[in-house]
Amino acid sequence: MATTYRTCPRTGLQFDLDADKLMRWNAVAGVLWLLVGGITALLVILTRWPAIKLLPADQFYLILTAHGIDMLILWIIFFEMAVLYFASSTLLRCRIATPWLGWVQFWLMVVGGIMTNVAIFQGESSVMFTSYVPMQAAPHFYLGIILFAVGALIGCGVFFGTLVVAKREKTYTGSLPLVTFGAMTAAIIAVFTIASGAAILIPTFLWSVGIIKEIDAQLYRMVWWALGHSSQQINVAAHVSIWYLVAAVAFGAKPLSEKVSRFAFLLYILFLQLASAHHLLSDPGMSAEWKVLNTSYFMYFAVLASMIHGFTVPGAIEAAQRKKGFNNGLFEWLRKAPWGNPVFSGMFISLVGFGFIGGISGVVLGTEQINMLMHNTFYVPGHFHATVVVGTTLAFMAVTYLLVPTLFKREMIFPKLCQIQPYLYGLSMIVLSLVMMGAGTLGVSRRHWDMAFSGAPFQYEWPGSAYLMMGLTGIFGVIAVIGGGLWILLVVGSLLFGKKLDGGAAHDKPVPIPDQTVAAAASHTGSEEHVKVPGTVVLAITLLTCFVLYYFVNWKYLSEVWGLS
């Protein structure tokens, strides 16, 4: 069967129609799971808010389990499948490999996601996202995750196959575009992650049906975190790729050094999985040497990679802006950026929130002594809301403002609300992350549904500041849910009611990239000419200063706990 393509007349991006359908279906499925996850998020927030305490304990843990699975796995990985197909077939201007396998991927993930949610809402699988043994869920809880993971693995295979097709058919010259290289990084990490999940979830499924008598709890935790933490590193590689994509399409920016950016992606592959150990720092079964090696030395290589990206993305934007004449002072390039464009504003808030809050708090949690204070407190979800939500989800939201007109051929409705949404969602989520970490610093429990321990024989009197932090968590959590709901309304409303746009003429062969287009910017390779970026240097020094000061504050807390003089 012949392959048919279309070229978007506004951006110059070319879509294989088979890949086009797969991207749209995966993206829509992701949005629907985000809707379910958002509803559960509201219920979780209204329960942890001490003044409301909406749900009883059993319903709270059921909803919390659904929230973790639907947000951290289903929404994000469905969207990442769309990103993989875009970064391969569209950016390389080639046909997608084995589209029928792409549909196998999609339906396996749909069936697996539904199956796991059915198990959760039946009330017998409230084991939360981590599903630690010896807690046991219903067999179809594990089977659903396994089917979903197999589907995602097949999607990665289609992605790699498409890279081979592009190379054989010579649809690009030279190196892979940096955005595609970043997506390849995400796919490589995904293969390791899914293999780790299979290694522990298949035996756990057999245990749930009675074939295996026992699962070692310590072994489960170690192997599971190779799935649980590494799956979030797929997200990091994917959203960093989107940062580079947005910098290219919004400014025509090239990385300051493409070789250095590619090396940083390579560091993710080599070291991010080893950073999974910081979830096990309080576990007695691991040796101190193993913990120190993984969380002090190996994890810092992964941190170095994120710091490189955090420098080179704004640096590329500054270099592009200065070439356009924005040279007054340190930050005219930033002041004159298109802050009214939600593609850029969402991306930049994602970058700043991920670096300043998610990155700094992650390194702090990776310090064994401090982790002993923080590991089971509300600080931990505060950290990963800064990384996975502000970093990944907001970046994905931002790029949809580009993809809806280009991929779905619909004009966005309510453009003023589109401009507001990244600020409403991103800034409220940043404050939410901060107050969650503040509550955790004061000792508020990570998972207990009632911080007051009502009815317990021994009461604990929290300081008023802890209740203040939890009240602010409720307020800004509700605002963040409204911001997320607004994005869903804008996206779904645009798909249903937005003005239809010209999708471009159909043709049976790939066509060259038009000059001076979004497609040309997104697909180019090479580094920016040497341009001084003093504003970005100041931002980087500010980040390091914040990190040093915050690190010192946490060691001060630790010294008070230990009673050192």
Side-chain angles (χ1 to χ4, degrees):
M1 183 176 177
T3 303
T4 305
Y5 305 90
R6 70 172 180 89
T7 300
C8 173
R10 293 167 301 283
T11 62
L13 292 168
Q14 176 186 274
F15 294 91
D16 165 15
L17 295 191
D18 288 323
D20 184 294
K21 290 179 182 177
L22 281 166
M23 282 183 264
R24 285 188 280 118
W25 280 67
N26 277 282
V28 169
V31 172
L32 293 176
W33 284 118
L34 180 65
L35 174 61
V36 177
I39 294 170
T40 57
L42 182 61
L43 297 174
V44 169
I45 290 163
L46 294 178
T47 304
R48 289 305 305 258
W49 192 344
I52 296 178
K53 205 160 62 175
L54 180 67
L55 300 176
D58 56 342
Q59 293 181 23
F60 170 75
Y61 291 111
L62 183 153
I63 293 297
L64 184 60
T65 302
H67 175 67
I69 296 292
D70 293 341
M71 290 299 229
L72 290 171
I73 295 181
L74 303 188
W75 137 247
I76 285 180
I77 295 182
F78 263 116
F79 198 92
E80 284 167 350
M81 290 295 108
V83 169
L84 289 182
Y85 296 147
F86 175 84
S88 55
S89 175
T90 300
L91 293 187
L92 299 182
R93 306 181 81 76
C94 69
R95 62 183 176 86
I96 190 170
T98 56
W100 67 273
L101 269 180
W103 290 110
V104 173
Q105 163 263 308
F106 176 78
W107 288 112
L108 275 175
M109 288 173 63
V110 167
V111 171
I114 292 173
M115 186 180 294
T116 297
N117 270 263
V118 167
I120 294 169
F121 285 102
Q122 283 177 333
E124 298 178 359
S125 302
S126 299
V127 292
M128 295 183 286
F129 174 67
T130 49
S131 58
Y132 286 150
V133 298
M135 291 191 297
Q136 188 178 85
H140 49 302
F141 173 89
Y142 304 109
L143 183 59
I145 296 176
I146 291 168
L147 292 177
F148 184 90
V150 170
L153 184 61
I154 290 172
C156 292
V158 174
F159 168 79
F160 290 125
T162 305
L163 299 187
V164 173
V165 167
K167 188 70 173 178
R168 286 181 177 175
E169 298 183 358
K170 299 180 180 179
T171 60
Y172 71 98
T173 57
S175 302
L176 287 173
L178 185 60
V179 176
T180 306
F181 187 87
M184 182 178 70
T185 301
I188 291 171
I189 297 172
V191 171
F192 167 87
T193 300
I194 294 167
S196 300
I200 199 60
L201 286 178
I202 291 176
T204 308
F205 165 69
L206 298 175
W207 168 67
S208 71
V209 297
I211 296 176
I212 292 177
K213 291 184 178 180
E214 183 181 1
I215 300 290
D216 181 84
Q218 183 66 54
L219 177 65
Y220 178 94
R221 287 166 67 91
M222 183 183 73
V223 181
W224 188 90
W225 276 113
L227 162 71
H229 186 263
S230 299
S231 63
Q232 310 317 314
Q233 310 323 314
I234 306 170
N235 307 338
V236 173
H239 78 233
V240 169
S241 301
I242 287 175
W243 292 349
Y244 282 110
L245 174 67
V246 172
V249 301
F251 301 93
K254 294 182 179 181
L256 298 178
S257 171
E258 191 173 62
K259 289 182 179 179
V260 170
S261 295
R262 291 175 188 267
F263 175 70
F265 278 120
L266 179 62
L267 289 177
Y268 279 159
I269 295 173
L270 295 176
F271 297 106
L272 264 179
Q273 284 79 344
L274 301 176
S276 303
H278 80 263
H279 293 279
L280 303 171
L281 286 174
S282 62
D283 283 28
M286 305 297 177
S287 69
E289 294 82 3
W290 184 86
K291 294 174 182 178
V292 169
L293 180 67
N294 281 278
T295 58
S296 293
Y297 298 103
F298 290 157
M299 190 178 81
Y300 291 162
F301 284 110
V303 172
L304 173 64
S306 290
M307 293 179 70
I308 290 171
H309 294 307
F311 180 85
T312 191
V313 173
I317 294 171
E318 180 177 1
Q321 287 284 80
R322 289 188 180 277
K323 288 179 68 175
K324 294 175 183 177
F326 299 112
N327 289 304
N328 293 330
L330 285 174
F331 294 114
E332 185 190 25
W333 63 275
L334 192 56
R335 294 196 311 271
K336 296 296 179 68
W339 291 101
N341 180 352
V343 179
F344 167 73
S345 62
M347 180 279 285
F348 205 82
I349 295 170
S350 163
L351 186 152
V352 172
F354 178 82
F356 275 83
I357 303 175
I360 291 176
S361 62
V363 175
V364 168
L365 281 173
T367 304
E368 183 174 5
Q369 296 92 332
I370 298 175
N371 189 282
M372 293 297 178
L373 285 177
M374 303 292 194
H375 77 277
N376 202 31
T377 71
F378 215 42
Y379 189 100
V380 176
H383 156 69
F384 61 67
H385 277 78
T387 55
V388 179
V389 184
V390 179
T392 303
T393 293
L394 186 56
F396 288 177
M397 288 177 171
V399 81
T400 55
Y401 292 108
L402 168 69
L403 295 181
V404 167
T406 302
L407 178 61
F408 291 89
K409 298 163 285 185
R410 294 280 186 168
E411 192 174 272
M412 293 297 300
I413 61 173
F414 305 126
K416 288 295 182 183
L417 287 178
C418 292
Q419 292 179 350
I420 293 170
Q421 187 274 327
Y423 295 98
L424 180 65
Y425 184 76
L427 298 180
S428 62
M429 192 58 71
I430 285 173
V431 177
L432 173 66
S433 298
L434 288 171
V435 294
M436 290 173 78
M437 290 191 291
T441 302
L442 295 169
V444 175
S445 173
R446 173 181 179 179
R447 292 187 172 101
H448 200 282
W449 73 289
D450 176 17
M451 67 174 285
F453 300 103
S454 302
F458 300 101
Q459 296 294 313
Y460 180 79
E461 292 296 328
W462 295 100
S465 53
Y467 284 100
L468 172 63
M469 292 292 178
M470 292 303 290
L472 291 173
T473 295
I475 293 169
F476 284 96
V478 170
I479 296 172
V481 169
I482 293 171
L486 177 59
W487 179 79
I488 293 173
L489 174 66
L490 291 169
V491 170
V492 175
S494 299
L495 299 186
L496 296 176
F497 307 112
K499 178 184 175 182
K500 289 185 177 181
L501 300 173
D502 178 16
H507 41 92
D508 59 0
K509 293 182 180 179
V511 297
I513 302 175
D515 293 331
Q516 306 300 318
T517 60
V518 166
S523 302
H524 64 212
T525 56
S527 305
E528 185 60 81
E529 298 174 5
H530 180 67
V531 178
K532 292 183 178 179
V533 288
T536 302
V537 171
V538 170
L539 291 176
I541 292 172
T542 303
L543 172 66
L544 290 174
T545 302
C546 292
F547 169 68
V548 170
L549 292 175
Y550 186 68
Y551 206 71
F552 170 77
V553 167
N554 279 277
W555 276 99
K556 181 179 182 299
Y557 283 131
L558 193 62
S559 69
E560 291 173 355
V561 170
W562 283 347
L564 299 179
S565 60

